[in-house]
Amino acid sequence: MTDLTEQFSAYSRWRGQTGDAVTRLRAWLARNDVGDVQSDLRLQYLLERLHDDKLTVAFVAEFSRGKSELINAIFFGDHGDRILPSSAGRTTMCPTELQWSKGATPELRLLPIRSRARQAPVSELKRYREAWTIVALEAVDASSLQAALARVGETERVEADEAESLGFAVDASGDEGIKPGADGMVEIPRWRHAVIQFPHPLLEQGLVVLDTPGLNAIGAEPELTLSMLPNAHAVLFILAADTGVTQSDLAVWRNYVQGSATRQRGRLVVLNKIDGLWDGLRDEARIEAELGRQVESVADTLGIERGAVFPVSAQKGLVARIQGDAELLERSRIPALERALSDDLLPTKQDIVREDTLAETREVAARTRALLEGRLSGLCEQLQELTDLRGKNQSVLEYMMRKIRTEKEEFEQGLQKYYAVRSVFSNLTNSLLAHMGLDALRDETRRTREAMLESTFTRGLREAMEGYFHNLRTNLQRSSAEISEISRMLETMYKRFSVEHGLKLSPPESFSTMRYEAELDRLEAIFNRQINTALTLVTTEKHALTQKFFETVAMQARRTFEIANQDVEQWLRAVMSPLDTQVREYQIQLKRRLESVKRIHEATDTLENRVEELKQGEEAVRTLIAELDGLEAGIAAALGVPAQVAEQRGGLRAAA
């Protein structure tokens, strides 16, 4: 077992232990009837995320860089042979995902290239099994996997017009697209996307390996460049030591890997085929010096740190793994790359999961604790009232009843303000969703499409597309202003009920649209690089450009707004839930206090019994609070966070 496999296994165990701790909290809330629907849903979604958590490692390169061989060497050396096809020329003609989920069936799924005519993204088509060509894997040995995966490299020859209609750039010189053959025909991939499912130790633990095609094919699948690669947890960009950084390598790096950042965490450069230097004529010192020069040249050309470039021999690494040759494996430098991959990938992913889990559970626990402390405060107050009544006459009992009724009337007056706030909250929510909602997005998309199709000149097309981004960003900014107004209004109401009626309420949770604005900025940067260029605008027919814009950028913008809608709707439910819960709890406590005094007024011998009941109730609530503390400590321990750090983080979020 490699160090990488061991670290993935450790991460998988950590995730499972965290899920068990969250499950215990959720079950405890339900068993003791101290949760609410919103809290239960939040914990349910959290558990689903923990269970379905995936780690995606993408491999990007031009053809003949040894990309598939590198995947074989890192992940599949224990199969005793190559799994992914690795030979001279192009072997991966479409994006290929290797994955496994519990209960899945070993199979290869191939999406026909002509599915692009349906104008549906791959993520959408994954829902429809009938859209794919399915190849069952009767066995999961090396030969069966090799035969199945060989189909990923299948191609077909079509007319240039058809190739362009399917999204492929065609160029007579071959510099800016696929070069036609002597007969004018163009060779294109037979498949648009491939998914292979088979049980493997790393895949079973949530690893997804994404193998990508070269420059001409990678640019033809917008979802790959707009979503899959940017969202991958690690991207390995592979170069060949015998070619260095070619112009096409540089184009792939700048357009699809680097983006706008000079050094992104999880982005590693691999300089493959260093065994070409092992020619028997150079000694180790000369080989090291040559490698140092190549690494420095690659780092300077790509504008990255030298430490982000890893020279390896994938082929020798695979042979070493198969033959059990430790010395050759070390010389291939594959272990050094694996260590860097695990050091870069797993801690970052673990931090994200840790912060997400800690945030969700702390907020649910804080809400539950506030409820229990409010209940405890009410019990203590009732207990004090009844203790003070010992030996008192009927007039004192009548006074106490009047006092509680007065409190009830004052609270009911406060409820009128509460209901008024609920009404304003509803109106602001409707206004917020009018700007951020999908109806507004559909209207903007329709207007932009009409403007593009009605445009006569390039300038009109550009203004329509740029206006699309401007208007979406404006909608988010308006939404942000309404979110701020909702927050201020609720904060005022929270304070009022805390001061006037002693409710245990922390300031409402904040919400920001910055992440969605940042995603729009990222999409606009890609749009400016790939679509909003003078060459593309002049050489692309208007209807084709319109279709490309809406199949790529607008589709991704829609996903961003779908996520934003889900998040803001959850926030709107969560931000009112504590106040709703505390109001109901306070009403119940007032009712119980009044009933207690009434019963004692009618029969004074029930006083001692009621005092004893309250003492038992008080002790039960204190026990629940202690159990909640223990559950929180258990989650912190599972996450590897000291309890006091968890407390501090929870306090900081509450203060925010």
Side-chain angles (χ1 to χ4, degrees), residues 112-125:
I113 193 66
R114 286 174 179 77
S115 65
R116 286 183 179 163
R118 300 173 65 173
Q119 300 184 15
V122 173
S123 56
E124 178 70 21
L125 292 173

Side-chain angles (χ1 to χ4, degrees), residues 314-346:
Q315 192 269 336
K316 299 303 181 188
L318 178 61
V319 170
R321 283 251 159 87
I322 292 172
Q323 296 179 349
D325 189 334
E327 184 178 347
L328 181 60
L329 180 62
E330 197 62 33
R331 195 179 186 201
S332 74
R333 305 194 183 204
I334 289 292
L337 173 62
E338 291 175 339
R339 285 192 293 271
L341 181 60
S342 60
D343 290 347
D344 228 20
L345 170 62
L346 292 175

Side-chain angles (χ1 to χ4, degrees), residues 301-475:
T301 303
L302 299 182
I304 59 176
E305 304 165 3
R306 288 189 60 179
V309 182
F310 295 86
V312 304
S313 171
Q315 192 269 336
K316 299 303 181 188
L318 178 61
V319 170
R321 283 251 159 87
I322 292 172
Q323 296 179 349
D325 189 334
E327 184 178 347
L328 181 60
L329 180 62
E330 197 62 33
R331 195 179 186 201
S332 74
R333 305 194 183 204
I334 289 292
L337 173 62
E338 291 175 339
R339 285 192 293 271
L341 181 60
S342 60
D343 290 347
D344 228 20
L345 170 62
L346 292 175
T348 301
K349 177 62 174 173
Q350 195 166 12
D351 284 345
I352 293 171
V353 174
R354 180 182 291 113
E355 290 297 327
D356 183 37
T357 303
L358 196 59
E360 291 289 341
T361 55
R362 283 291 302 178
E363 285 160 11
V364 168
R367 181 184 305 176
T368 306
R369 182 174 284 100
L371 174 67
L372 290 173
E373 288 176 350
R375 185 177 297 177
L376 181 62
S377 177
L379 288 170
C380 290
E381 189 174 343
Q382 289 184 60
L383 185 58
Q384 185 62 48
E385 288 174 348
L386 296 188
T387 302
D388 292 344
L389 289 177
R390 283 172 169 160
K392 304 296 181 183
N393 56 29
Q394 293 294 320
S395 62
V396 174
L397 292 172
E398 290 171 359
Y399 165 77
M400 187 61 66
M401 288 176 62
R402 289 196 301 272
K403 179 177 178 291
I404 297 172
R405 285 196 179 103
T406 301
E407 285 184 36
K408 187 170 180 291
E409 290 170 0
E410 290 174 351
F411 185 72
E412 287 173 349
Q413 291 174 3
L415 283 180
Q416 299 304 313
K417 297 174 185 176
Y418 163 74
Y419 293 135
V421 167
R422 290 283 315 190
S423 177
V424 175
F425 176 81
S426 179
N427 292 334
L428 287 173
T429 296
N430 292 335
S431 180
L432 169 61
L433 296 177
H435 290 129
M436 187 182 278
L438 297 182
D439 287 341
L441 179 65
R442 278 190 288 269
D443 289 343
E444 185 58 40
T445 302
R446 175 184 51 77
R447 285 193 294 269
T448 304
R449 188 187 294 274
E450 291 173 353
M452 290 181 70
L453 293 176
E454 291 171 1
S455 296
T456 307
F457 301 103
T458 298
R459 180 179 177 182
L461 286 169
R462 173 171 279 163
E463 288 177 349
M465 291 186 289
E466 290 176 347
Y468 179 79
F469 284 104
H470 172 76
N471 293 336
L472 292 189
R473 197 172 280 107
T474 299
N475 280 349

Side-chain angles (χ1 to χ4, degrees), residues 86-130:
S86 178
S87 58
R90 297 175 183 267
T91 55
T92 304
M93 295 300 295
C94 69
T96 303
E97 294 179 69
L98 290 87
Q99 58 181 244
W100 180 256
S101 299
K102 187 176 181 180
T105 302
E107 64 184 17
L108 171 67
R109 288 182 286 166
L110 298 161
L111 184 63
I113 193 66
R114 286 174 179 77
S115 65
R116 286 183 179 163
R118 300 173 65 173
Q119 300 184 15
V122 173
S123 56
E124 178 70 21
L125 292 173
K126 283 181 178 179
R127 303 177 186 177
Y128 304 100
R129 188 175 175 84
E130 62 273 15

